Amino acid sequence: MKTTAYNPSPLEVDFANSLVILQKEIEKHLQDNKIVNIEPNLTRDNPMIKFNLVDKDGDPHEIVVRIVQIPDKF
């Protein structure tokens, strides 16, 4: 399937959505950290998800993931 739109592309949005859906599964792999909130922004050119975490000491942390699809090379 050729990508006709990249701002954002359907694949970028689907991939970002999958990270939101897999929140509990991702959390299992974060040693001594718990995901307390997710802020997805799926409408921007490169969809972004901000994960708010709290570690075992109660300290807050933020991780931002941006999804960027490289243009197709056909």
Side-chain angles (χ1 to χ4, degrees), residues 26-74:
I26 292 169
E27 188 176 66
K28 292 177 187 177
H29 302 279
L30 302 174
Q31 297 177 11
D32 299 323
N33 286 276
K34 179 177 178 159
I35 298 172
V36 293
N37 189 42
I38 292 182
E39 298 175 33
N41 186 338
L42 306 179
T43 59
R44 54 184 297 148
D45 182 13
N46 299 117
M48 178 189 87
I49 305 163
K50 186 190 319 184
F51 292 85
N52 295 25
L53 307 150
V54 173
D55 65 20
K56 68 179 179 178
D57 298 325
D59 298 327
H61 302 280
E62 291 182 344
I63 299 288
V64 175
V65 178
R66 287 206 180 176
I67 310 299
V68 179
Q69 181 181 0
I70 304 301
D72 297 338
K73 295 177 178 101
F74 292 105

Side-chain angles (χ1 to χ4, degrees), residues 17-29:
N17 262 328
S18 69
L19 293 176
V20 173
I21 292 166
L22 292 171
Q23 169 186 350
K24 292 297 179 191
E25 196 62 32
I26 292 169
E27 188 176 66
K28 292 177 187 177
H29 302 279

